[in-house]
Amino acid sequence: MKLQALRQAHVDKWVSTMLEAGSMKGKPLAPATVRLVLVMLQQVTQYAARQGLIARDPAEYVEAPRQRPTKVAAADVWTKEQVQSFAAKSQ
């Protein structure tokens, strides 16, 4: 498909497809992966719009999938003493 023919509906469908069965094995891609791919496409379409290659950015208003919040374990967070020790060794 030529860039000039790309519409927001195409990008929306592409995002949905990646979330449903976007991997090479037909499994869903993680929302974080889809977000990264969408950001790359948006950079291309923004550039094309700035250069006058397309009249409007078709990916501008496409909503990226929400990421699930990650849980942080207490062991993953440094204590005050660990931060001070790290800072002292870094100087």
Side-chain angles (χ1 to χ4, degrees):
M1 171 181 295
K2 290 186 177 186
L3 185 59
Q4 292 81 359
L6 188 63
R7 301 288 177 258
Q8 182 174 343
H10 297 122
V11 181
D12 285 331
K13 174 116 174 89
W14 181 58
V15 168
S16 295
T17 300
M18 287 190 288
L19 290 169
E20 293 167 8
S23 76
M24 292 177 64
K25 295 182 180 181
K27 295 183 179 182
L29 292 175
T33 302
V34 177
R35 288 178 73 85
L36 287 173
V37 173
L38 180 58
V39 165
M40 288 192 300
L41 175 66
Q42 288 171 332
Q43 289 174 343
V44 170
T45 56
Q46 286 171 5
Y47 178 79
R50 282 194 312 270
Q51 296 300 313
L53 301 173
I54 55 177
R56 181 184 163 286
D57 179 356
E60 182 177 7
Y61 297 107
V62 174
E63 291 191 30
R66 293 181 184 218
Q67 289 181 251
R68 290 179 225 115
T70 56
K71 294 183 180 181
V72 178
D76 295 334
V77 179
W78 284 3
T79 64
K80 180 180 177 181
E81 292 77 22
Q82 288 172 317
V83 171
Q84 290 172 340
S85 174
F86 177 80
K89 291 178 182 176
S90 298
Q91 294 178 357

